[in-house]
Amino acid sequence: MPKHRISKKHRTLAMAAGGVLLLGAGALTAQASSSSGAAAPAAPARPVALAKPAAFTGRAFDTCTAPTLAQMKAWKTASPYGAAAVYIGGKNRGCAQPQLTASWTKSVSAAGWKLIPLYVGAQPPCKSGSNPEKMTAASAASLGAADGADAAAKASALGMRPGGAVYLDMEGFDKTNTSCKQTVLTYTRAWNKALHAKAYRTGFYGFVSSSATAVAAESPGTDMPDAIWYAAYDGTASTTTDYPFGTKWAGHRRGHQYAVEKKETYGGVTLTVDHNAWDSLVAVVAK
């Protein structure tokens, strides 16, 4: 997966035409008072129209702990990468993030980087190993809603504005386990809905062998991810060659993690990173 890392080893709402995404926004409902002073029924929820989303096409990397600003500047000058994934939160985020502040986000963005915020939420109930937060069939909806709200708050605190994307990291599981799969889908829908309510777009990181395929089978659909980030370690830096989901998530909404744990040196700075071909949504960073 993107190494969030639950362990050191581990690693869409449909868009309307023209790049405009309509999101339900209960926050826009209002109550009108009648002449008698009694509150009239709330008006129906109106969709929020978001402008064309921010996207990046090129190579991206992800690494466990966000590099320092100096390291990011060195890599921006010398490396082939133009975007970097950062782990903004979630109880299953496995690495400390001493660099990750609103100031860092602003400075890195000003240096030319596009950022891909990743949230490591509750993991599947049938996933092996221990995680600080695992969902159950009973808790999936409430956990998804709480974690989605937390992801929006974390992104906002880092200067990542509504309109940009936040990706949910979902590890692999046995996709033949119907109960487990449905629990993951329930959680994912609730997580997406919570972020959509805050006017963020959502992405989903998962494995072609399990989690990404489970979501792809349901997408497009209500509260499905707006973008897919799929892990298929074939060494092919492309989001179209051997793309496994047909025509789904077309239009700059695909990321492909194609290699992991690669040590590279650019500008005198050595980092161990995962490789991604990127043609998808990214964060919108406050200036």
Side-chain angles (χ1 to χ4, degrees):
M1 68 176 237
K3 303 168 292 214
H4 39 116
R5 282 45 186 198
I6 291 177
S7 70
K8 173 67 177 174
K9 181 64 179 176
H10 282 147
R11 303 277 177 238
T12 15
L13 301 190
M15 268 195 199
V20 175
L21 180 65
L22 300 180
L23 305 180
L28 294 184
T29 60
Q31 287 188 328
S33 297
S34 67
S35 58
S36 64
R46 294 178 294 170
V48 176
L50 298 183
K52 187 175 180 180
F56 169 76
T57 301
R59 291 185 62 184
F61 76 85
D62 62 274
T63 189
C64 194
T65 297
T68 67
L69 177 58
Q71 290 174 323
M72 291 292 286
K73 285 182 174 180
W75 269 47
K76 189 66 185 70
T77 300
S79 82
Y81 300 104
V86 291
Y87 294 86
I88 67 170
K91 292 182 179 178
N92 287 310
R93 182 176 69 173
C95 290
Q97 300 293 344
Q99 309 303 327
L100 202 51
T101 64
S103 176
W104 182 92
T105 299
K106 184 176 181 179
S107 297
V108 166
S109 179
W113 286 102
K114 300 302 181 183
L115 296 176
I116 305 162
L118 189 62
Y119 187 89
V120 193
Q123 294 301 304
C126 58
K127 181 182 178 296
S128 61
S130 61
N131 302 127
E133 184 178 61
K134 271 192 176 184
M135 67 189 79
T136 65
S139 69
S142 59
L143 265 181
D147 284 353
D150 184 55
K154 292 290 196 298
S156 178
L158 288 170
M160 299 175 181
R161 291 178 170 175
V166 180
Y167 289 76
L168 174 62
D169 184 330
M170 189 64 64
E171 288 308 294
F173 61 92
D174 180 5
K175 65 181 180 182
T176 66
N177 186 326
T178 302
S179 175
C180 187
K181 180 174 70 173
Q182 289 305 318
T183 298
V184 169
L185 291 172
T186 296
Y187 174 91
T188 300
R189 287 189 177 98
W191 191 88
N192 289 331
K193 185 176 181 179
L195 277 151
H196 286 155
K198 298 295 185 180
Y200 285 91
R201 290 181 169 85
T202 63
F204 184 93
Y205 169 89
F207 292 87
V208 168
S209 59
S210 58
S211 45
T213 295
V215 166
E218 303 293 316
S219 184
T222 303
D223 296 319
M224 282 287 102
D226 305 310
I228 191 71
W229 180 3
Y230 62 100
Y233 304 140
D234 54 12
T236 302
S238 174
T239 60
T240 55
T241 300
D242 296 327
Y243 176 69
F245 304 128
T247 60
K248 294 182 178 182
W249 292 293
H252 309 296
R253 293 187 293 151
R254 302 172 181 173
H256 174 200
Q257 186 181 69
Y258 61 89
V260 295
E261 300 281 358
K262 302 295 184 181
K263 184 176 286 188
E264 297 180 304
T265 302
Y266 297 105
V269 173
T270 300
L271 298 173
T272 298
V273 302
D274 298 341
H275 292 181
N276 302 274
W278 204 260
D279 185 23
S280 191
L281 309 180
V282 294
V284 174
V285 177
K287 302 296 185 182

